[in-house]
Amino acid sequence: MKNIKFLAIHLPAYHRIPENDEWWGEGFTEWNNVKSGIPLYKGHWQPIIPLNAYYYDLSKTEDIKNQFETAEKYGIYGFIFYHYWFGNGKMLFENPIRIILEHPEFSGNFCLCWANETWVTTWHGRKPQTLLKQEYGGVDEWESHLQYFLKVFADKRYIKIDNKPVLYIYKPCEIPDYNGMVDYLDSRLKQEGYNGIYIVEYISSKNRELYSIKSSAVTEFEPLYTTFFDISKANLFKRFLCKKFKCVDYQNYDKLWKYNIKRKRTYSGKPIQRGCFVGWDNSARKGKESMIVKDSTPEKFGKYLKLLLNNHRKDSDSEFVVINAWNEWSEGAYLEPDEKNKFGYLEKIRELTEE
């Protein structure tokens, strides 16, 4: 399976920013969420602890370098970094990308996913309150955003398909005049010497179908796609009750993977980058209103990932496979080594790339 290129979703929130200091308290980072986890049942491993208690800081060059080196060692082709652009030039967590661009000697590949959504207080049972509103604007805003993209796309490690920079978009359905924006970016990038833009839509709980024919490809965001659209009516009713009565929604790892493996859905002929997940447990963020996927192990992950890759699906012949995630620690979706499984999940990736 050496022709497969694994891409791991990357959360860049593991460093301080002034906004988090203001919203959540002095010195807050994503690690605060991770450390706040508590066991909700017998055998529930919370709080999750990174291997050797390595609570890295992504404002430090050496910690980002270590991530690239680890990913390359274990067969990860590249990272999909969440990109937070709220409009009018407002960005958050841009420091890791800045450091990467300043260090061309880092070996590895990367691209961006525009995580386009308004930030609200949904953690730890707080009532929803807007922290930072997502703004979209028109042509002037698109050009401003493009000027940032051009600096990043120019890096030789930035992932491109047919000389088109690859850009994932988290919620295309929420972008006013999405088609106009895509056309504009495509045209402008051609003026800059590229062959256009290669946009990959996230297919998730917000949109089950292809949102726009202007997109180049899709990827199904797991496990949320499966838990919203593929499970039984009885399971959906259970999920409804869990939400209504604010209790934990327990899901089965094996069942979710099997739905994903056998899926036949297509998207108007658009290429499908197969999506998969390592695990899921967002109780550190959401407490008893969380979803926990039980019984995940590195052995199961390796077995099911191999089945996914060997199971032909129409339009899914893309060389890229998207894994959720590299480091979503407070959602229980991470490839990075922890105290429980060590490098177990990464070792399964390396085994597949060496076959």
Side-chain angles (χ1 to χ4, degrees), residues 83-92 94 135 140-141 144-145 148:
H83 165 65
Y84 302 97
W85 176 282
F86 293 91
N88 301 311
K90 177 63 177 178
M91 299 175 64
L92 292 181
E94 69 276 19
E135 304 283 358
D140 290 344
E141 177 63 30
S144 176
H145 203 174
Y148 174 78

Side-chain angles (χ1 to χ4, degrees), residues 289-300:
E289 297 182 51
S290 60
M291 183 178 82
I292 298 175
V293 179
K294 299 181 75 173
D295 302 323
S296 61
T297 67
E299 290 71 29
K300 288 182 179 181

Side-chain angles (χ1 to χ4, degrees), residues 89-333:
K90 177 63 177 178
M91 299 175 64
L92 292 181
F93 298 123
E94 69 276 19
N95 279 338
I97 291 296
R98 176 185 57 79
I99 292 171
I100 291 166
L101 297 181
E102 290 173 352
H103 290 273
E105 73 275 12
F106 291 177
S107 179
N109 304 288
F110 70 97
C111 60
L112 299 179
C113 171
W114 183 15
N116 61 308
E117 60 182 353
T118 293
W119 278 23
V120 296
T121 53
T122 58
W123 296 339
H124 309 308
R126 293 195 183 188
K127 292 182 179 180
Q129 177 183 351
T130 298
L131 296 174
L132 200 54
K133 184 174 176 54
Q134 178 71 61
E135 304 283 358
Y136 292 101
V139 173
D140 290 344
E141 177 63 30
W142 302 341
E143 180 63 29
S144 176
H145 203 174
L146 176 68
Q147 289 303 312
Y148 174 78
F149 282 145
L150 288 173
K151 298 173 186 177
V152 184
F153 293 167
D155 193 284
K156 65 180 182 180
R157 297 162 297 180
Y158 195 91
I159 298 168
K160 303 173 182 73
I161 297 176
D162 298 328
N163 195 34
K164 297 179 180 181
V166 175
L167 175 66
Y168 293 79
I169 297 187
Y170 189 57
K171 294 182 178 178
C173 58
E174 294 191 1
I175 301 176
D177 197 10
Y178 174 84
N179 288 347
M181 184 194 72
V182 174
D183 283 341
Y184 184 84
L185 295 176
D186 195 69
S187 174
R188 283 287 289 111
L189 283 172
K190 288 176 180 176
Q191 294 175 9
E192 298 290 337
Y194 299 99
N195 291 342
I197 187 77
Y198 194 98
I199 289 184
V200 184
E201 286 189 18
Y202 266 43
I203 306 295
S204 186
S205 56
K206 290 291 183 180
N207 54 308
R208 185 181 187 183
E209 305 292 344
L210 178 75
Y211 179 68
S212 171
I213 199 69
K214 298 286 186 178
S215 300
S216 302
V218 303
T219 189
E220 293 156 340
F221 184 60
E222 294 294 348
L224 298 189
Y225 182 94
T226 299
T227 58
F228 272 89
F229 301 123
D230 282 351
I231 54 181
S232 67
K233 290 183 179 179
N235 204 341
L236 284 173
F237 183 64
K238 177 179 73 73
R239 296 201 67 208
F240 168 77
L241 292 177
C242 288
K243 185 173 182 180
K244 180 178 177 64
F245 294 105
K246 296 184 178 181
C247 57
V248 178
D249 176 14
Y250 293 107
Q251 297 288 331
N252 180 270
Y253 192 76
D254 303 83
K255 183 180 292 186
L256 295 182
W257 262 101
K258 288 173 182 177
Y259 274 113
N260 187 12
I261 291 167
K262 70 180 182 181
R263 188 176 302 140
K264 300 298 182 183
R265 182 178 299 279
T266 59
Y267 300 92
S268 302
K270 294 293 183 181
I272 301 169
Q273 296 183 4
R274 300 298 292 266
C276 62
F277 73 110
V278 183
W280 188 271
D281 175 358
N282 62 356
S283 61
R285 283 187 178 178
K286 302 211 170 186
K288 291 185 178 180
E289 297 182 51
S290 60
M291 183 178 82
I292 298 175
V293 179
K294 299 181 75 173
D295 302 323
S296 61
T297 67
E299 290 71 29
K300 288 182 179 181
F301 172 72
K303 178 183 75 172
Y304 289 135
L305 182 54
K306 185 173 183 177
L307 288 172
L308 182 78
L309 300 179
N310 285 328
N311 185 42
H312 177 73
R313 176 180 171 190
K314 186 179 179 182
D315 301 330
S316 65
D317 55 354
S318 171
E319 62 184 340
F320 295 107
V321 173
V322 178
I323 303 174
N324 186 26
W326 176 256
N327 62 343
E328 282 279 13
W329 286 86
S330 58
E331 291 184 347

Side-chain angles (χ1 to χ4, degrees), residues 1-9 67-81 106-111 156-161 166 168 273 319-323 326 335 346 349-350 353:
M1 298 185 181
K2 294 183 179 180
N3 59 325
I4 295 295
K5 295 178 179 178
F6 291 109
L7 302 179
I9 296 169
Q67 290 195 326
F68 271 92
E69 290 176 345
T70 302
E72 184 175 46
K73 178 180 178 181
Y74 285 94
I76 299 296
Y77 178 78
F79 292 131
I80 303 172
F81 280 91
F106 291 177
S107 179
N109 304 288
F110 70 97
C111 60
K156 65 180 182 180
R157 297 162 297 180
Y158 195 91
I159 298 168
K160 303 173 182 73
I161 297 176
V166 175
Y168 293 79
Q273 296 183 4
E319 62 184 340
F320 295 107
V321 173
V322 178
I323 303 174
W326 176 256
L335 284 165
L346 283 170
I349 295 291
R350 183 163 61 183
T353 59

